[in-house]
Each structure stands twice: as C-alpha cells, then as structure tokens.
Amino acid sequence: MKKIFSFFAAALMAAGVATAQDINKAIELANNGNEAFQMGEYQLAVDAFTQSLAIAEGLGEAGAEHANTCKTALGAIYLANSKNLIKASDFAGALAKLDETIAVAGKYGLTDIAEDAKSLIPNVYMAQGNAALKAKDMAGAIAAYTKVTELNPANGDAYLRLGRALAASGKVEEAVAAYAGAAYLMAAPGALELPDGNYIVDIAGNTVNIT
C-alpha cells in the first residue's frame, strides 16, 4: 500500500471543489496510516484511514475515489491484523479480529476480503485444536475440532483429530462417531476398510467395528 495515495492530490486539485486544507489533511492522514500499517501498528493505521475516509466523503464526488481507496485499505488492514494474530497463535484474538474484518468488509462492499476472512476461520479453529491436543488439553481440542466440523463438514482430518481427543477423554462412543466421519471422508490413518465397506478403528487399544 506504499503508493496508493499518489493520485489523490492531483485528482482533488483538478476538481476544484476542495479546500487546500482538506486536501492536505486527507493526504497527511493517509500517509500516516500507510506508515503505521508498514510498522504493524494496525490500530493507528485504522484510526488514520478512518479519519481520512471521513474527510474524503465530505468532499463529495471529488473525494469519491480516495474514499474507495480508504475503504479498501481498511479492509486490508483488518485482514492483515487477523493473519498476524493467527501467526502469533492468538486464536481468540484472531477470531475476534476476523469477525471485525467481515463486518468492515460488509460495510464497505469488499466481497473478496470478506470471503478471505471467512475462509480463515476454520483454519484458526483447526490450529487452536492442534495446539490444545499437543498441550493435552482434550476439552479445548474437542471444542475446537467440533467447531471445524461444523464450519467445514468435509474436513476429514478434523474428524480424525476429534476422534483422538474424544478417545483420550474416554468418550468412546463419541470417538467412534468421529472416526466414522473421518473414515467416510478420507483414508484415515489407523482405519482398515472391510469388504462390506465398514471400518475397524483402534481406539485406546480397543478394536471397534464402525457400521
């Protein structure tokens, strides 16, 4: 986003309807927002672009192009912030920020950004489940993997890992159901297909016939 504001001054000057003070302030705020974004100061960037957007919208048609640029920038900042939180394994923060991203994208008509944000949510729950499973937090793993299966019922790996967490928690019947889902969706490790299409899955040392 380093050069997205280069057109702004010329466009508004040519329109002849905006004061120099308005133009300069909008440019200053946009540049400040861009710098803040490059430094990873997401909230400062959001604040600056929001103020710049307000000025641009106040300029009417002369500021319309810049207003649209600010809206796109805001969506991109929210999405980048979400991804940064995912990278930092702040799953709760990432989910909250993705919800904000979707709301902002919806407000400004940023369909692509909204879809990108929505597509990340199952991945966050999956990562959260993996972290919980590794930490032997079975309740947390079960909750996260269950959410993945709700959001993406075709994710066989989520069913498989859910089965492992349930089995480790002694919830054998629920584990069998989860393993059945995994076996249906994928060639699950540890699952053997029988000639009649059923599966045998080893759960905590017990062989269970899944029908």
Side-chain angles (χ1 to χ4, degrees), residues 133-148:
L133 191 64
K134 183 177 180 179
K136 301 189 184 304
D137 173 12
M138 297 307 163
I142 290 169
Y145 291 137
T146 298
K147 193 67 178 178
V148 177

PDB file of all heavy atoms in Angstrom, residues 133-148:
ATOM      1  N   LEU A 133      -4.471 -30.070  21.577  1.00  0.00           N
ATOM      2  CA  LEU A 133      -4.160 -31.502  21.579  1.00  0.00           C
ATOM      3  C   LEU A 133      -2.703 -31.726  21.992  1.00  0.00           C
ATOM      4  O   LEU A 133      -2.410 -32.634  22.783  1.00  0.00           O
ATOM      5  CB  LEU A 133      -4.420 -32.086  20.189  1.00  0.00           C
ATOM      6  CG  LEU A 133      -4.403 -33.612  20.067  1.00  0.00           C
ATOM      7  CD1 LEU A 133      -5.530 -34.232  20.881  1.00  0.00           C
ATOM      8  CD2 LEU A 133      -4.533 -34.030  18.603  1.00  0.00           C
ATOM      9  N   LYS A 134      -1.818 -30.897  21.475  1.00  0.00           N
ATOM     10  CA  LYS A 134      -0.400 -31.008  21.810  1.00  0.00           C
ATOM     11  C   LYS A 134      -0.171 -30.749  23.293  1.00  0.00           C
ATOM     12  O   LYS A 134       0.689 -31.378  23.932  1.00  0.00           O
ATOM     13  CB  LYS A 134       0.412 -30.017  20.980  1.00  0.00           C
ATOM     14  CG  LYS A 134       1.906 -30.112  21.197  1.00  0.00           C
ATOM     15  CD  LYS A 134       2.662 -29.144  20.285  1.00  0.00           C
ATOM     16  CE  LYS A 134       4.167 -29.242  20.497  1.00  0.00           C
ATOM     17  NZ  LYS A 134       4.903 -28.310  19.589  1.00  0.00           N
ATOM     18  N   ALA A 135      -0.971 -29.830  23.866  1.00  0.00           N
ATOM     19  CA  ALA A 135      -0.845 -29.499  25.282  1.00  0.00           C
ATOM     20  C   ALA A 135      -1.647 -30.453  26.174  1.00  0.00           C
ATOM     21  O   ALA A 135      -1.722 -30.256  27.376  1.00  0.00           O
ATOM     22  CB  ALA A 135      -1.304 -28.066  25.521  1.00  0.00           C
ATOM     23  N   LYS A 136      -2.253 -31.467  25.528  1.00  0.00           N
ATOM     24  CA  LYS A 136      -3.084 -32.449  26.238  1.00  0.00           C
ATOM     25  C   LYS A 136      -4.294 -31.800  26.912  1.00  0.00           C
ATOM     26  O   LYS A 136      -4.793 -32.282  27.932  1.00  0.00           O
ATOM     27  CB  LYS A 136      -2.252 -33.235  27.250  1.00  0.00           C
ATOM     28  CG  LYS A 136      -1.090 -34.000  26.618  1.00  0.00           C
ATOM     29  CD  LYS A 136      -0.412 -34.926  27.595  1.00  0.00           C
ATOM     30  CE  LYS A 136       0.816 -35.600  26.976  1.00  0.00           C
ATOM     31  NZ  LYS A 136       0.501 -36.325  25.729  1.00  0.00           N
ATOM     32  N   ASP A 137      -4.758 -30.707  26.316  1.00  0.00           N
ATOM     33  CA  ASP A 137      -5.999 -30.069  26.754  1.00  0.00           C
ATOM     34  C   ASP A 137      -7.119 -30.649  25.899  1.00  0.00           C
ATOM     35  O   ASP A 137      -7.504 -30.078  24.880  1.00  0.00           O
ATOM     36  CB  ASP A 137      -5.896 -28.554  26.571  1.00  0.00           C
ATOM     37  CG  ASP A 137      -7.212 -27.826  26.845  1.00  0.00           C
ATOM     38  OD1 ASP A 137      -8.150 -28.457  27.391  1.00  0.00           O
ATOM     39  OD2 ASP A 137      -7.300 -26.629  26.508  1.00  0.00           O
ATOM     40  N   MET A 138      -7.609 -31.797  26.308  1.00  0.00           N
ATOM     41  CA  MET A 138      -8.567 -32.517  25.468  1.00  0.00           C
ATOM     42  C   MET A 138      -9.896 -31.784  25.342  1.00  0.00           C
ATOM     43  O   MET A 138     -10.516 -31.798  24.283  1.00  0.00           O
ATOM     44  CB  MET A 138      -8.776 -33.930  26.015  1.00  0.00           C
ATOM     45  CG  MET A 138      -7.506 -34.777  25.987  1.00  0.00           C
ATOM     46  SD  MET A 138      -6.738 -34.796  24.339  1.00  0.00           S
ATOM     47  CE  MET A 138      -5.083 -35.380  24.742  1.00  0.00           C
ATOM     48  N   ALA A 139     -10.324 -31.142  26.411  1.00  0.00           N
ATOM     49  CA  ALA A 139     -11.582 -30.395  26.334  1.00  0.00           C
ATOM     50  C   ALA A 139     -11.469 -29.267  25.314  1.00  0.00           C
ATOM     51  O   ALA A 139     -12.390 -29.039  24.510  1.00  0.00           O
ATOM     52  CB  ALA A 139     -11.938 -29.833  27.708  1.00  0.00           C
ATOM     53  N   GLY A 140     -10.338 -28.558  25.339  1.00  0.00           N
ATOM     54  CA  GLY A 140     -10.126 -27.495  24.367  1.00  0.00           C
ATOM     55  C   GLY A 140     -10.022 -28.021  22.951  1.00  0.00           C
ATOM     56  O   GLY A 140     -10.554 -27.422  22.011  1.00  0.00           O
ATOM     57  N   ALA A 141      -9.354 -29.156  22.793  1.00  0.00           N
ATOM     58  CA  ALA A 141      -9.213 -29.760  21.471  1.00  0.00           C
ATOM     59  C   ALA A 141     -10.568 -30.196  20.926  1.00  0.00           C
ATOM     60  O   ALA A 141     -10.887 -29.963  19.759  1.00  0.00           O
ATOM     61  CB  ALA A 141      -8.266 -30.955  21.540  1.00  0.00           C
ATOM     62  N   ILE A 142     -11.368 -30.823  21.793  1.00  0.00           N
ATOM     63  CA  ILE A 142     -12.696 -31.283  21.365  1.00  0.00           C
ATOM     64  C   ILE A 142     -13.552 -30.103  20.917  1.00  0.00           C
ATOM     65  O   ILE A 142     -14.217 -30.159  19.871  1.00  0.00           O
ATOM     66  CB  ILE A 142     -13.384 -32.058  22.506  1.00  0.00           C
ATOM     67  CG1 ILE A 142     -12.682 -33.394  22.729  1.00  0.00           C
ATOM     68  CG2 ILE A 142     -14.869 -32.275  22.205  1.00  0.00           C
ATOM     69  CD1 ILE A 142     -13.103 -34.118  23.999  1.00  0.00           C
ATOM     70  N   ALA A 143     -13.532 -29.017  21.686  1.00  0.00           N
ATOM     71  CA  ALA A 143     -14.335 -27.846  21.341  1.00  0.00           C
ATOM     72  C   ALA A 143     -13.900 -27.251  20.006  1.00  0.00           C
ATOM     73  O   ALA A 143     -14.736 -26.902  19.161  1.00  0.00           O
ATOM     74  CB  ALA A 143     -14.234 -26.802  22.452  1.00  0.00           C
ATOM     75  N   ALA A 144     -12.591 -27.148  19.806  1.00  0.00           N
ATOM     76  CA  ALA A 144     -12.078 -26.535  18.574  1.00  0.00           C
ATOM     77  C   ALA A 144     -12.342 -27.410  17.351  1.00  0.00           C
ATOM     78  O   ALA A 144     -12.817 -26.922  16.314  1.00  0.00           O
ATOM     79  CB  ALA A 144     -10.579 -26.264  18.716  1.00  0.00           C
ATOM     80  N   TYR A 145     -12.044 -28.702  17.461  1.00  0.00           N
ATOM     81  CA  TYR A 145     -12.262 -29.593  16.316  1.00  0.00           C
ATOM     82  C   TYR A 145     -13.749 -29.724  15.980  1.00  0.00           C
ATOM     83  O   TYR A 145     -14.114 -29.846  14.811  1.00  0.00           O
ATOM     84  CB  TYR A 145     -11.668 -30.970  16.595  1.00  0.00           C
ATOM     85  CG  TYR A 145     -10.162 -31.000  16.634  1.00  0.00           C
ATOM     86  CD1 TYR A 145      -9.489 -31.713  17.621  1.00  0.00           C
ATOM     87  CD2 TYR A 145      -9.397 -30.327  15.682  1.00  0.00           C
ATOM     88  CE1 TYR A 145      -8.093 -31.759  17.667  1.00  0.00           C
ATOM     89  CE2 TYR A 145      -8.016 -30.356  15.712  1.00  0.00           C
ATOM     90  CZ  TYR A 145      -7.366 -31.077  16.710  1.00  0.00           C
ATOM     91  OH  TYR A 145      -5.992 -31.110  16.750  1.00  0.00           O
ATOM     92  N   THR A 146     -14.590 -29.709  17.006  1.00  0.00           N
ATOM     93  CA  THR A 146     -16.027 -29.755  16.750  1.00  0.00           C
ATOM     94  C   THR A 146     -16.460 -28.545  15.935  1.00  0.00           C
ATOM     95  O   THR A 146     -17.282 -28.650  15.010  1.00  0.00           O
ATOM     96  CB  THR A 146     -16.812 -29.804  18.079  1.00  0.00           C
ATOM     97  OG1 THR A 146     -16.468 -31.007  18.785  1.00  0.00           O
ATOM     98  CG2 THR A 146     -18.306 -29.781  17.828  1.00  0.00           C
ATOM     99  N   LYS A 147     -15.892 -27.388  16.269  1.00  0.00           N
ATOM    100  CA  LYS A 147     -16.230 -26.171  15.525  1.00  0.00           C
ATOM    101  C   LYS A 147     -15.792 -26.287  14.070  1.00  0.00           C
ATOM    102  O   LYS A 147     -16.503 -25.842  13.154  1.00  0.00           O
ATOM    103  CB  LYS A 147     -15.545 -24.967  16.179  1.00  0.00           C
ATOM    104  CG  LYS A 147     -16.063 -23.634  15.689  1.00  0.00           C
ATOM    105  CD  LYS A 147     -17.503 -23.406  16.102  1.00  0.00           C
ATOM    106  CE  LYS A 147     -18.002 -22.057  15.649  1.00  0.00           C
ATOM    107  NZ  LYS A 147     -19.425 -21.837  16.011  1.00  0.00           N
ATOM    108  N   VAL A 148     -14.626 -26.899  13.848  1.00  0.00           N
ATOM    109  CA  VAL A 148     -14.146 -27.084  12.475  1.00  0.00           C
ATOM    110  C   VAL A 148     -15.129 -27.939  11.684  1.00  0.00           C
ATOM    111  O   VAL A 148     -15.464 -27.625  10.543  1.00  0.00           O
ATOM    112  CB  VAL A 148     -12.750 -27.736  12.437  1.00  0.00           C
ATOM    113  CG1 VAL A 148     -12.317 -27.975  10.989  1.00  0.00           C
ATOM    114  CG2 VAL A 148     -11.720 -26.873  13.148  1.00  0.00           C
TER     115      VAL A 148
END
